[in-house]
Amino acid sequence: MAAGAVRVAPTCVPLYNIKLKHRIHTGLVTLGCFDGVHPSLTCATDGNKVFVHHPFSRHRVAGGSLVQSLTGVDTGEYQTLSLQQRVSALLAGQAQVDSSSGEKLPSDILFIGSPESLRAYNVENNEEVFFKEVADGVNCLAVGLLGDASSPLVFAGGNCSVQGFGMDGEDHYWTVTGDNVRSMVLCDFNLDGYNELLVGSDDFDIRVFKNDEMITELSETEIITAITPLYR
C-alpha cells in the first residue's frame, strides 16, 4: 500500500431484510437447509414456541405439528411449532444417513432441547423423528460425527454430562464433565483426521474428548458460553 493511502473496510450488505412480530430469545437461533437446498431461519420465541421462516416460499406438508401461517412476517412462508416445555437449546444439522450408500443426507433435522427433554423434528416432512426425556437437561447441542463413528449423533450438554443420541432416539454416547455444560462443538482438534468433542462448562474449563476419553483440558477465566472452530 502506498504511503498515505487509507485502507477502506469492506461493507457488509444484507441479502434480505425481514420484520418479525415476535421476540427472539437470545442464543436460540439456527439456520437450516431443511429441504437440502434452501436455508431457513429458525428461532425460539415466547410461549414455548419455535418459528421457521422460509424466505424461499414453497408448498409444505400439512398435518403435522408445524402450523403454516402468512402472518407475523413480511415476506416468505412462516411456520410455528408449539411445545409444552421451555426451549433451552436449538440447532439444525445433517444427522440422517442414506441406508444404501451410508452417505449423510443433505436435508437438515431440527433439534430442540428443553430442561427435561430433546426433540428431533423433520421440518420438510412436518413430522417428529424422536422425542427423548433427558434427566440432566439440555443446555446446548452439537451434531455430527465423533471419532471414527459411521453415523452422526446429536450431542446434548446438560448438568455435568454429555449424551449422544442417534436418529433412532437411543442413547449411543455418554460422558461426564466437571460442571454444567454451556457450549460444545465438533472439530478435528488434534489434526488426526477425526472429530473430537470440545465441551465448555461453568467451571471455566474447555474439555476435549476423543470418543469418551478426555485428552486435553484448557482453563479460561470465565464461563465458556460459545466455542467456534477456525479452519485453515
Side-chain angles (χ1 to χ4, degrees):
M1 180 179 295
V6 177
R7 183 185 296 274
V8 179
T11 302
C12 295
V13 179
L15 295 178
Y16 66 92
N17 294 304
I18 57 174
K19 294 181 179 179
L20 303 172
K21 299 179 181 179
H22 297 274
R23 187 168 72 94
I24 298 174
H25 290 187
T26 302
L28 298 177
V29 178
T30 187
L31 194 66
C33 295
F34 301 116
D35 64 354
V37 179
H38 304 103
S40 297
L41 180 67
T42 306
C43 310
T45 186
D46 294 336
N48 300 333
K49 292 183 179 180
V50 171
F51 70 81
V52 184
H53 171 54
H54 309 279
F56 307 97
S57 181
R58 56 188 294 270
H59 175 72
R60 303 204 170 263
V61 178
S65 299
L66 273 168
V67 179
Q68 183 173 341
S69 173
L70 295 179
T71 63
V73 65
D74 62 358
T75 181
E77 186 178 294
Y78 176 81
Q79 292 176 292
T80 58
L81 178 63
S82 297
L83 305 166
Q84 300 299 317
Q85 299 173 328
R86 176 177 64 87
V87 179
S88 57
L90 194 65
L91 181 68
Q94 294 179 347
Q96 293 182 309
V97 176
D98 185 275
S99 57
S100 58
S101 66
E103 297 292 327
K104 285 196 296 185
L105 297 177
S107 55
D108 286 334
I109 297 296
L110 178 63
F111 299 99
I112 306 168
S114 82
E116 297 88 19
S117 65
L118 173 64
R119 182 190 307 267
Y121 205 86
N122 187 318
V123 174
E124 179 68 7
N125 295 337
N126 201 356
E127 63 182 9
E128 186 175 273
V129 179
F130 72 80
F131 175 86
K132 190 76 173 181
E133 292 185 353
V134 182
D136 292 331
V138 182
N139 299 327
C140 56
L141 294 164
V143 61
L145 295 171
L146 175 61
D148 58 357
S150 58
S151 297
L153 299 177
V154 54
F155 297 90
N159 181 20
C160 302
S161 70
V162 176
Q163 291 178 265
F165 299 92
M167 290 304 96
D168 55 2
E170 295 301 316
D171 187 348
H172 296 277
Y173 179 89
W174 181 84
T175 192
V176 295
T177 61
D179 208 332
N180 292 331
V181 180
R182 293 298 169 192
S183 55
M184 290 190 302
V185 71
L186 286 161
C187 69
D188 187 2
F189 178 81
N190 57 4
L191 302 180
D192 64 350
Y194 299 98
N195 282 339
E196 284 76 42
L197 179 65
L198 279 66
V199 179
S201 55
D202 285 355
D203 60 0
F204 305 173
D205 282 348
I206 300 174
R207 295 173 175 86
V208 182
F209 292 91
K210 186 174 182 63
N211 296 318
D212 58 355
E213 177 187 358
M214 187 179 71
I215 60 173
T216 303
E217 189 171 8
L218 309 171
S219 295
E220 299 296 335
T221 58
E222 293 187 79
I223 294 174
I224 315 301
T225 58
I227 307 174
T228 301
L230 294 176
Y231 297 101
R232 297 179 180 179

